[in-house]
Amino acid sequence: TLDIIENALRNARVEMDTTLVRTAMSPGIREQGDAFPMIADPKGRMIVGQFGSFISPFLNSYDGTIEEGDVFLLSDPYSVEGAISHSNDWLVLLPVFRNGRLIAYTAMFGHQSDIGGKVAGSMPIDANSIFQEGIRIPPVKIFNKGVYNADLIKIIMHQVRTPDWCKADLNALIASCRVAARRVEEMCGRFGEDVYISATEELLARNYRAMSKLIASSVSEE
């Protein structure tokens, strides 16, 4: 069962990338692959993914509610303790619920080609303030209990030079998170929520044991 869940999670992570590349518009994501997926446990700890875990820092600073149907967007590096590099990285977070129980998080962030600011591309090399880089988005709900906040998206897209690209990329980020969320729900439907969560805890524990051995062996060799 553990092997099945582990490989299903790996496949879901690949499916996130595929969904994103097929639906995004900007070359930074489509051609450079400047995007990073993640599936995490209910505490925000990364199970599969890339670029480390940014959900725990988000949870540390976010003081609002997290409910079924919510989808979060943020681009402010300070709101996740620097887990994303700069404001060009738009991060989507999706809490996954089943039977009213939080069972996972899925997340994806991608580099936007332009978010406003003093120069095209929003990466001014002479900037001395983050406000010169373009729009900086704090953690906000773009879906609140399943209801889409169209007015908020209009405000965000009004600040950028390439709104068509940014909106398509945002929709792609959301779609990739939803794909992963469906796969997690399917696993819970097959094995049950308790088994799924226990499996993710064992995967984390196994990684911890393996890394401890690697670190101990490297220290002993020195």
Side-chain angles (χ1 to χ4, degrees), residues 137-209:
I137 306 169
V140 292
K141 293 184 181 183
I142 49 177
F143 283 87
N144 189 344
K145 297 181 182 179
V147 179
Y148 182 60
N149 192 338
D151 288 339
L152 172 62
I153 300 303
K154 286 181 182 178
I155 293 172
I156 293 173
M157 297 305 163
H158 196 65
Q159 314 305 313
V160 305
R161 295 180 179 87
T162 55
D164 291 343
W165 281 10
C166 285
K167 191 169 185 180
D169 289 354
L170 175 58
N171 288 335
L173 294 170
I174 297 169
S176 67
C177 290
R178 291 201 185 282
V179 164
R182 285 198 297 272
R183 299 298 173 254
V184 170
E185 290 167 358
E186 288 168 0
M187 281 181 266
C188 289
R190 179 177 179 181
F191 299 106
E193 295 102 45
D194 290 338
V195 171
Y196 171 79
I197 291 175
S198 295
T200 59
E201 290 175 348
E202 175 54 28
L203 290 173
L204 287 170
R206 190 175 65 184
N207 286 349
Y208 181 85
R209 293 192 297 269

Side-chain angles (χ1 to χ4, degrees), residues 31-54:
E31 297 176 19
Q32 291 179 276
D34 196 350
F36 303 93
M38 185 169 69
I39 302 174
D41 74 352
K43 297 179 182 178
R45 299 175 297 182
M46 182 174 68
I47 307 300
V48 294
Q50 190 175 356
F51 212 78
S53 182
F54 33 73

Side-chain angles (χ1 to χ4, degrees), residues 65-72 95 97 141 143-146:
T65 60
I66 298 176
E67 301 173 274
E68 188 168 2
D70 290 348
V71 179
F72 295 88
F97 286 82
K141 293 184 181 183
F143 283 87
N144 189 344
K145 297 181 182 179

Side-chain angles (χ1 to χ4, degrees), residues 75-101:
S75 70
D76 175 24
Y78 298 105
S79 65
V80 286
E81 300 175 8
I84 57 173
S85 305
H86 55 174
S87 299
N88 287 74
D89 292 331
W90 284 11
L91 168 61
V92 170
L93 297 169
L94 193 160
V96 183
F97 286 82
R98 184 173 173 84
N99 298 321
R101 178 185 182 185

